[in-house]
Amino acid sequence: MSKKIEELKFSGEWDLAPAPESTNHISVKKEYQLFIGGKFVKPKKGKYFSTINPATEKKLSSIAEASKEDVDRAVKAARKAHSGVWSSTSAKERGKYIYRIARLIQEKSREFAVIESLDGGKPIRESRDVDIPIAAAHFFYYAGWADKLNYAFPNQNPSSLGVAGQIIPWNFPLMMAAWKIAPALATGNTVVLKPAETTSLTALKLAEVIQEADLPPGVVNIITGAGATGSDIVNHKDIDKIAFTGSTGVGKIIMKSIAGTAKKSTMELGGKAANIVFEDAPLDQAVEGIINGIYFNQGHVCCAGSRLFVQESIYDTLLRKLKDRMQSLIVGNPLDKNTDIGAINSKEQLGVINKYLSLGKKEGADMFQPSCDIPSKGFWCAPTLFTNVSQSHAIAKEEIFGPVLAVQTFRTIDEVITKANNTPFGLSAGVWTDKGSKVFNLTSKMRAGVVWANTYNKFDPTSPFGGYKESGHGREGGLHGLAPYLKF
Ligand code: NAP
Ligand code: MG
């Protein structure tokens, strides 16, 4: 790289020509119905809500709002499909259907990726290279388990639970739907799934795929709506299991509602992960990992590395490198292939993030944001870094769910383990060091479900995912992800 280019890069003046992904190959309908019993049906009360593109604030489509009666229709369709067809379909056949869904997602991956970015605001590079491939990979992976349950759980003769109610958030819409539906089908359950209000489109596209895959009617039902629809699913008497991914606050409400019932549950909730950099870490790699850990998907990631702990001796060097790298991040059009940071998912979420930016400054931390152009319409937040942060600051304790990093320092390994574990959450963590012994020491003492070493935010269907403490209970992914859908 010539000196001139090097200087330009670190002064943030890269001027890349726009490289927008085409939208010619996608079709978004004006209005979407509920997917119940294998058919798209109108909501009983005739109510619809709008979904918008958060990068432009333009309306994309009208989405049906499911009422209590619609939830009941969906649960009845799922129950009928479970007792009538799915529980007696051979495991090998079940596997074939799941495999077919995986293939169809793969075939339509360009369409899925663009719709995901339009509806949710995430950069196309992420929906194209992360969300959609991982969603397909989950269906492929669980298709393989369907006829091997007796090997997975020898001498236990597992059987399905029945009807699973599944409620998912807006940060990885199709991926979360895949994490929920694939293991449920592999274990012989039927499903009623509700996507988040702001990101229903790819779940509805998935409903079209499920129809195309010829899945028996009622095995998967996808109903749209807001929190009230989610609550109607949770409280429906004929649901056997609730699989929820979302905030700790709503997770607690759900746990209270199902307490004392026979409903089983898995809860994948919030996080406040520690990303720990030791003085012997490869610093340039660590900087990339820190950036990926918190600015990936606008920080709308439950396992985001939102608390950075840097060993004192390398603090100045690391911070300089990190700020330089932040300067080169491109914020803007999610459909542009060069974009690093897309739109914040909703006006409400931008309000939450801005509240924390003010609070961080008010509590005495120093805020840094690189100079970057931000579009005038839509919801945006520049990548943000806070230094001079103490453990008691709200930005160090609470989940912000935005591109906001709180930096703290440490001297010894015991000190950083104590600081990192000082949180009600326990979903994930990261460690950067040259020494395997430090990695093992740390991973055995960190109270976090996932600990990444010298990398961050990597997901794989074979690997279980889930948290401790207020980050929830139960695991999704891998062999572990099958058990919560089975009775023994
Ligand atoms: P949220 O507000 O808790 O919503 C999650 C889902 O629950 C949405 O579909 C929502 O519907 C629905 N819902 C809202 N109130 C409900 C109620 N009373 N009963 C039943 N369902 C209800 O969370 P979010 O803002 O969408 O997502 C962000 C949160 O998810 C963060 O805290 C993040 O850490 C967490 N998350 C965790 C994981 C994990 O694996 N641990 C993964 C991703 C995200 P509406 O959207 O229509 O309100
Ligand atoms: Mg939207």
Side-chain angles (χ1 to χ4, degrees), residues 249-478:
V250 173
K252 285 183 183 174
I253 296 174
I254 295 178
M255 288 306 290
K256 277 185 194 146
S257 319
I258 64 174
T261 72
K263 285 172 191 159
K264 294 200 171 354
S265 68
T266 37
M267 296 279 143
E268 301 286 0
L269 310 175
K272 191 76 186 174
N275 203 356
I276 301 166
V277 187
F278 286 97
E279 60 190 359
D280 58 3
L283 291 194
D284 291 327
Q285 254 170 276
V287 166
E288 284 311 305
I290 295 161
I291 297 274
N292 183 33
I294 185 65
Y295 302 128
F296 169 69
N297 200 24
Q298 298 70 251
H300 296 337
V301 184
C302 50
C303 45
S306 52
R307 290 182 299 153
L308 175 65
F309 290 96
V310 187
Q311 199 155 20
E312 251 178 38
S313 52
I314 52 158
Y315 179 79
D316 291 338
T317 319
L318 190 89
L319 261 281
R320 180 177 47 77
K321 282 176 182 278
L322 187 56
K323 286 181 178 174
D324 281 349
R325 181 67 179 94
M326 284 171 75
Q327 201 70 52
S328 68
L329 294 174
I330 299 172
V331 183
N333 182 5
L335 286 184
D336 193 308
K337 291 163 203 146
N338 294 320
T339 294
D340 297 302
I341 298 183
I344 299 300
N345 182 267
S346 66
K347 193 175 176 183
E348 289 70 33
Q349 186 58 26
L350 180 59
V352 171
I353 297 169
N354 283 335
K355 185 195 88 182
Y356 279 106
L357 299 190
S358 309
L359 201 56
K361 287 186 277 188
K362 209 168 123 195
E363 287 185 324
D366 299 323
M367 187 172 96
F368 167 80
Q369 288 181 328
S371 54
C372 52
D373 294 331
I374 284 189
S376 54
K377 271 242 160 237
F379 316 126
W380 309 95
C381 179
T384 306
L385 181 152
F386 277 105
T387 49
N388 205 9
V389 174
S390 84
Q391 290 266 308
S392 61
H393 286 171
I395 51 166
K397 288 194 304 193
E398 295 166 26
E399 186 183 44
I400 302 175
F401 223 55
V404 184
L405 181 63
V407 189
Q408 298 172 67
T409 57
F410 68 93
R411 287 187 186 164
T412 66
I413 188 161
D414 290 335
E415 177 192 349
V416 77
I417 291 170
T418 310
K419 280 181 166 172
N421 281 338
N422 181 20
T423 167
F425 298 109
L427 191 56
S428 61
V431 50
W432 298 83
T433 170
D434 198 30
K435 297 270 180 309
S437 55
K438 261 188 216 160
V439 172
F440 289 120
N441 186 358
L442 221 115
T443 45
S444 59
K445 290 180 184 151
M446 290 294 299
R447 306 248 7 243
V450 180
V451 184
W452 285 290
N454 295 327
T455 187
Y456 208 91
N457 271 343
K458 293 280 179 260
F459 307 96
D460 189 281
T462 62
S463 170
F465 184 90
Y468 282 87
K469 301 192 279 185
E470 293 197 12
S471 290
H473 59 259
R475 294 291 178 262
E476 291 187 321

Side-chain angles (χ1 to χ4, degrees), residues 51-52 54 119 198:
T51 194
I52 63 160
D119 200 18
T198 54

Side-chain angles (χ1 to χ4, degrees), residues 156-230:
Q156 294 181 69
N157 203 18
S159 62
S160 60
L161 295 175
V163 178
Q166 307 184 320
I167 300 165
I168 57 174
W170 42 260
N171 57 342
F172 292 93
L174 185 71
M175 196 170 121
M176 288 295 119
W179 283 28
K180 296 274 179 288
I181 296 174
L185 297 187
T187 46
N189 296 276
T190 57
V191 163
V192 176
L193 175 123
K194 187 197 91 68
E197 196 182 346
T198 54
T199 53
S200 306
L201 288 183
T202 47
L204 292 162
K205 265 273 161 279
L206 179 63
E208 291 172 9
V209 158
I210 283 164
Q211 213 178 28
E212 200 178 329
D214 241 347
L215 211 70
V219 171
V220 174
N221 305 275
I222 297 182
I223 57 174
T224 41
T229 306

